[in-house]
Amino acid sequence: MERIKKYQTILIKLLQESVQQFVTDPQSEVEEHLILDTQRHYFQWLTIGWEDDEVFKSYINVHFVIKPSGKIWLMENNTEIRFAEELVKRGVPRHDIVLGFQPPSVRAYTDYAAA
């Protein structure tokens, strides 16, 4: 449980720092949202809102889950940020990171955990 709390802290800080890079216009109706569920260990960064009153945007930028095993699963990454590498830089061992968006047959060939 201690490892999960440590990883939650790392993920929250990483996501908060990442979102700040993308907030460019405080008057924009397109907003960045963080969902930080520390009870169920789900962490998402969403973009939601109207662009020029014509186009509604709603999408997931990043989605992490910390599984009961204590491993961080990167389920989705629609940014140019290399989140798995950022986690390694912050002290998370590669064997505790799973690229969940990769098919199981491919994960064994990545630099991270297969599951």
Side-chain angles (χ1 to χ4, degrees):
M1 198 58 157
E2 189 65 34
R3 179 170 63 164
I4 290 175
K5 287 185 186 271
K6 176 183 174 186
Y7 288 173
Q8 284 184 158
T9 301
I10 291 170
L11 281 174
I12 290 169
K13 185 170 183 181
L14 175 59
L15 287 169
Q16 288 172 334
E17 291 171 1
S18 299
V19 165
Q20 286 181 336
Q21 296 176 29
F22 285 84
V23 177
T24 55
D25 181 4
Q27 303 294 357
S28 174
E29 291 188 32
V30 177
E31 299 175 339
E32 307 302 322
H33 295 268
L34 290 179
I35 298 173
L36 309 171
D37 184 344
T38 57
Q39 298 296 315
R40 292 178 187 87
H41 316 297
Y42 288 99
F43 305 87
Q44 290 185 336
W45 165 17
L46 310 171
T47 298
I48 301 172
W50 285 95
E51 186 174 74
D52 301 324
D53 292 329
E54 294 177 10
V55 178
F56 184 74
K57 291 187 167 194
S58 175
Y59 52 89
I60 297 171
N61 294 299
V62 180
H63 179 180
F64 289 103
V65 177
I66 302 176
K67 299 281 186 158
S69 65
K71 291 186 179 184
I72 299 173
W73 284 62
L74 177 53
M75 304 305 287
E76 191 164 353
N77 183 5
N78 295 310
T79 74
E80 294 180 9
I81 300 169
R82 299 182 67 203
F83 279 100
E85 283 302 310
E86 288 298 320
L87 290 172
V88 170
K89 287 179 188 175
R90 293 165 190 250
V92 178
R94 291 179 184 277
H95 64 265
D96 277 351
I97 302 169
V98 178
L99 302 180
F101 58 84
Q102 293 284 358
S105 61
V106 173
R107 289 184 208 142
Y109 302 104
T110 69
D111 289 335
Y112 305 98

